[in-house]
């Protein structure tokens, strides 16, 4: 755990840097005048991805006429913060401008290649990694290519896109990026087969992005899926991470972070937005900061995982103790407060870290010895000989929806 380390960093970016990785966020140019947003952006993140500003509809609204105003704004903001930029996305069936949607065949193919050449040339030298092709595989369980107008230009459209991007900006890492490829399944295996073929034939590809738009679970083979791609000789990156709010949000974020840390070629993690109110998943509160910009339990879970990994030189690292499992059982709820009990299994002497969402506050505890971090939101509860369960009362203070999150359980 972080507490066992001499120097646990206190921001996502610094902690990730200590492991040799970046920690990024998707950002919107239209939000760069929001001071809460820019404060978190400049403090916590070492990489940015433009959420929409470098897509085809944004950068080439009419054929042959390029508009880089918003994309350039993001790049200059990133440069002034010392952040790297992931370019997103050169070729994608979605968010194509209307004029391109009406094209097909060789006309569309040459328009696509011209688009890639122009955009990658404009940003040459400023982009760490490009999502060259986005979401080209179907969700049919068969591993088929998605049936799009781009696909109909010929099955070699993906490699043609990668070759055009390499020619335009030889210094950028070139990634294939997709969703629902986060575990071993027909879709991820089809991408795997394509990457293997590209490597064998010398088609320029350097990285694979795993979007990781997750619900209430994470595939059990998440890490081994990343590893099998890395073993092909490409970097892997978590490119659009967000997780539905629910009982497991913090632990899923922690699991994903640890998986990246355990794969030496997993070079970084990007979350798809900063605050819950910035997310495309309206109402799901899937990000690391609440809508007011407060750190959530999920944030602490990621930070702790990064700090636990920082001694591993990018290759994992331990948590300084044996494992245990802490299970939350909701208790009585009153108008102004509620009870929670936590049962610990797997160790008789334990330390459980519980993270609360402000402005909620724990007002009393039982059957353990509690200490608090400076913010008052993170409680470290140690066993005191009273058994395998402890409990506490939390006052709502105006937030009746948030619930405590278990950030870690360490036995000794
Ligand atoms: O900016 C206009 C605004 O002027 C207009 O009034 C409004 C009316 O619809 O639309 C606004 O644009 C929206 C834009 O987001 C900015 O908010 C678009 O309609 C909307 O389609 C667009 O959605 C984006 C979506 O991609 C489009 O497919 C999301 O922001 C963006 O988060 C999302 O990101 C994708 C990745 O690129 C690829 N992977 C999946 C991921 C989530 O869908």
């Amino acid at each position: 755990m972080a507490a066992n380390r001499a120097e646990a960093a206190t921001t996502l970016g610094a902690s990730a840097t200590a492991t040799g990785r970046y920690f990024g966020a998707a950002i919107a140019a239209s939000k760069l005048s929001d001071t809460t947003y820019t404060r978190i952006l400049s403090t916590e993140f070492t990489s940015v991805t433009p959420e929409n500003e470098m897509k085809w509809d944004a950068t080439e609204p009419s054929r042959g006429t390029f508009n880089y105003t918003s994309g350039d704004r993001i790049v200059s903001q990133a440069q002034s913060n010392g952040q790297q930029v992931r370019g997103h996305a050169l070729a994608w069936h979605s968010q194509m401008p209307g004029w391109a949607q009406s094209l097909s065949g060789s006309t569309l193919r040459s328009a696509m290649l011209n688009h890639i050449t122009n955009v990658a040339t404009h940003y040459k030298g400023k982009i760490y990694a490009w999502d060259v092709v986005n979401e080209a595989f179907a969700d049919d369980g068969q591993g088929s290519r998605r049936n799009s107008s781009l696909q109909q230009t010929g099955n070699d459209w993906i490699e043609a896109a990668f070759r055009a991007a390499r020619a335009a900006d030889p210094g950028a890492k070139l990634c294939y990026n997709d969703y629902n490829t986060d575990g071993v399944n027909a879709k991820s295996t089809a991408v795997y087969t394509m990457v293997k073929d590209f490597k064998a034939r010398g088609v320029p590809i350097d990285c694979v992005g795993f979007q990781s738009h997750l619900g209430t679970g994470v595939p059990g083979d998440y890490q081994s899926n990343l590893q099998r791609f890395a073993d092909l000789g490409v970097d892997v990156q978590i490119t659009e991470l967000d997780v539905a709010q629910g009982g497991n949000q913090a632990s899923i974020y922690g699991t994903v972070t640890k998986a990246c840390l355990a794969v030496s070629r997993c070079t970084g993690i990007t979350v798809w937005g900063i605050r819950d109110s910035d997310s495309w998943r309206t109402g799901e509160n899937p990000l690391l900061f609440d809508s007011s910009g407060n750190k959530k339990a999920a944030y602490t879970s990621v930070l702790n995982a990064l700090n636990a990994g920082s001694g591993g030189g990018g290759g994992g690292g331990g948590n300084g103790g044996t494992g245990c499992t802490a299970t939350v059982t909701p208790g009585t709820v009153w108008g102004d407060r509620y009870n929670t009990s936590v049962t610990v299994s797997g160790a008789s002497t334990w330390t459980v870290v519980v993270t609360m969402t402000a402005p909620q506050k724990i007002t009393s505890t039982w059957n353990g010895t509690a200490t608090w971090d400076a913010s008052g939101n993170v409680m470290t509860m140690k066993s005191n000989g009273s058994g395998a369960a402890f409990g506490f009362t939390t006052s709502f203070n105006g937030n009746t929806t948030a619930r405590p999150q278990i950030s870690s359980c360490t036995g000794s």
Side-chain angles (χ1 to χ4, degrees):
M1 276 179 44
N4 293 333
R5 306 188 60 77
E7 296 175 52
T10 56
T11 66
L12 302 171
S15 300
T17 299
T19 78
R21 294 173 176 81
Y22 65 83
F23 203 96
I27 63 168
S30 60
K31 292 182 178 157
L32 293 176
S33 51
D34 177 328
T35 53
T36 303
Y37 187 82
T38 52
R39 173 183 55 77
I40 300 171
L41 173 61
S42 61
T43 308
E44 295 286 346
F45 298 100
T46 53
S47 170
V48 300
T49 303
E51 189 174 357
N52 289 296
E53 292 78 353
M54 291 187 189
K55 291 173 178 174
W56 198 345
D57 60 352
T59 49
E60 196 180 359
S62 45
R63 191 170 183 181
T65 303
F66 292 85
N67 181 344
Y68 298 115
T69 310
S70 296
D72 287 356
R73 204 162 157 223
I74 287 187
V75 170
S76 66
Q77 174 89 6
Q79 288 176 336
S80 66
N81 282 336
Q83 295 157 328
Q84 62 188 36
V85 181
R86 284 195 88 262
H88 174 85
L90 291 170
W92 186 25
H93 69 279
S94 183
Q95 284 182 283
M96 281 167 58
W99 64 266
Q101 289 177 35
S102 67
L103 302 182
S104 62
S106 58
T107 320
L108 175 59
R109 172 70 69 95
S110 58
M112 175 194 83
L113 295 175
N114 182 59
H115 175 76
I116 291 171
T117 300
N118 274 275
V119 176
T121 300
H122 176 81
Y123 288 111
K124 183 177 177 179
K126 297 176 176 167
I127 303 292
Y128 161 70
W130 266 113
D131 289 329
V132 178
V133 171
N134 196 38
E135 303 176 4
F137 283 81
D139 294 293
D140 60 357
Q142 313 288 315
S144 313
R145 291 283 185 90
R146 179 187 296 279
N147 183 16
S148 68
S149 60
L150 292 167
Q151 179 64 27
Q152 285 164 11
T153 70
N155 203 51
D156 63 344
W157 75 277
I158 299 179
E159 62 193 85
F162 275 84
R163 291 188 202 281
R166 178 70 97 224
D169 185 358
K173 288 194 180 271
L174 305 182
C175 303
Y176 176 79
N177 188 52
D178 215 328
Y179 66 92
N180 284 350
T181 49
D182 311 310
V184 176
N185 57 39
K187 188 173 179 181
S188 65
T189 298
V191 176
Y192 176 87
T193 303
M194 177 186 77
V195 173
K196 190 173 182 186
D197 171 57
F198 280 12
K199 294 298 282 183
R201 291 191 295 113
V203 177
I205 184 166
D206 307 302
C207 38
V208 177
F210 298 83
Q211 293 185 9
S212 304
H213 293 296
L214 299 174
T216 53
V218 58
D221 50 14
Y222 189 91
Q223 181 183 317
S224 55
N225 189 48
L226 296 179
Q227 188 65 58
R228 72 171 173 154
F229 279 86
D231 290 343
L232 291 176
V234 288
D235 289 346
V236 295
Q237 302 172 347
I238 315 301
T239 51
E240 304 184 14
L241 180 60
D242 51 20
V243 182
Q245 177 128 306
N248 294 325
Q249 184 182 52
S251 70
I252 291 172
Y253 265 107
T255 300
V256 169
T257 306
K258 286 176 200 157
C260 179
L261 294 174
V263 175
S264 60
R265 288 198 75 146
C266 182
T267 57
I269 299 174
T270 298
V271 287
W272 204 243
I274 295 181
R275 301 162 300 192
D276 286 333
S277 49
D278 302 317
S279 173
W280 68 294
R281 296 170 72 171
T282 310
E284 290 191 79
N285 297 326
L287 293 171
L288 301 179
F289 294 85
D290 71 18
S291 297
S292 306
N294 298 307
K295 296 169 183 173
K296 294 166 57 181
Y299 171 95
T300 309
S301 179
V302 171
L303 186 67
N304 287 346
L306 290 169
N307 283 331
S310 63
N319 68 1
T322 58
C324 51
T325 304
T327 307
V328 169
T329 306
T332 309
V333 181
W334 295 274
D336 61 339
R337 68 195 192 283
Y338 63 100
N339 279 353
T340 304
S341 36
V342 178
T343 308
V344 181
S345 61
S348 52
T349 306
W350 38 260
T351 302
V352 177
V353 177
V354 180
T355 305
M356 307 300 299
T357 301
Q360 292 192 354
K361 276 275 178 281
I362 294 178
T363 52
S364 64
T365 68
W366 53 92
N367 293 347
T369 304
T371 53
W372 304 86
D373 79 337
S375 74
N377 296 328
V378 181
M379 173 178 74
T380 299
M381 180 67 93
K382 288 182 180 297
S383 52
N384 65 358
S386 14
F390 65 91
F392 50 95
T393 302
T394 306
S395 60
F396 287 128
N397 295 331
N399 179 343
T400 54
T401 54
R403 288 295 180 267
Q405 305 276 339
I406 303 297
S407 298
S408 65
C409 186
T410 308
S412 56

